[in-house]
Amino acid sequence: MSLEQLIERCKKNDAQAQSQLYKLYASKLFSICLKYSRNYAEAEDNLQDAYITIFKKFNQFKNQGSLEGWMKRITINTALQRYRSAGVFDIINEDQIEDVNVEVDDDNISIDFLLNIIQELPDRYRLVFNLYALDDYSHKEIANLLDISTGTSKSNLARARLILKDKIEQYKARPNSQSL
């Protein structure tokens, strides 16, 4: 079955087509959920909620742009929805912002370690870091998505980078870090 046929069948709430679409994109969307979740279980919940939204809104997909991109946006927004009303963001004066760069130039640091330390970030820092550093959103876009100021977005990114830099330096300083 072609992607166009699959889309049309999903628009008609065809359960078999929905199952096929799920299998086709679940791993990609789950990786997005992992980035924006505190842990694996929360990522699973976010994926399920994202697919519920995708199937409810499938008739809104107008075949303009890629289906995958449309589904990714819904998945990110679904994960962010958990945090929007939770008040996880502090309002920051832009004069307090200090830029921090995190360089990972060591082949001995695993992707699993990096994912774990990103997931350990406080919600407000993790969300902004992922949107900016991993998904290429601008601070203005992040501010609109999370209902915060651009200064708060910039500050949260700087603080996330500082925390990550410290954790990476601590990891590198451990004598047995080569084996992890």
Side-chain angles (χ1 to χ4, degrees), residues 29-46:
L29 298 182
F30 186 67
S31 68
I32 291 169
C33 291
L34 277 173
K35 288 191 305 190
Y36 290 96
S37 302
R38 292 181 195 105
N39 54 50
Y40 196 87
E42 185 176 279
E44 290 177 322
D45 291 344
N46 284 333

Side-chain angles (χ1 to χ4, degrees), residues 109-118:
I109 296 179
S110 72
I111 295 297
D112 289 338
F113 171 75
L114 292 173
L115 179 59
N116 284 337
I117 64 172
I118 291 170

Side-chain angles (χ1 to χ4, degrees), residues 17-122:
Q18 290 173 337
S19 176
Q20 192 172 349
L21 185 78
Y22 176 87
K23 290 174 186 170
L24 190 61
Y25 291 103
S27 64
K28 289 179 183 178
L29 298 182
F30 186 67
S31 68
I32 291 169
C33 291
L34 277 173
K35 288 191 305 190
Y36 290 96
S37 302
R38 292 181 195 105
N39 54 50
Y40 196 87
E42 185 176 279
E44 290 177 322
D45 291 344
N46 284 333
L47 180 65
Q48 180 178 350
D49 292 346
Y51 267 104
I52 289 169
T53 303
I54 287 166
F55 292 134
K56 280 183 182 176
K57 294 184 175 192
F58 218 90
N59 284 321
Q60 294 178 13
F61 180 67
K62 303 296 182 200
N63 296 335
Q64 297 172 344
S66 76
L67 175 65
E68 183 177 334
W70 180 78
M71 292 172 62
K72 283 180 178 180
R73 281 192 309 277
I74 289 174
T75 302
I76 290 170
N77 282 322
T78 299
L80 295 178
Q81 190 61 39
R82 290 184 185 270
Y83 305 103
R84 282 192 184 111
S85 60
V88 298
F89 295 97
D90 298 327
I91 304 303
I92 302 295
N93 181 338
E94 288 192 45
D95 296 336
Q96 299 173 329
I97 299 169
E98 180 181 324
D99 196 25
V100 177
N101 286 321
V102 179
E103 300 277 333
V104 180
D105 58 357
D106 191 338
D107 293 335
N108 294 323
I109 296 179
S110 72
I111 295 297
D112 289 338
F113 171 75
L114 292 173
L115 179 59
N116 284 337
I117 64 172
I118 291 170
Q119 285 178 322
E120 290 171 357
L121 288 169

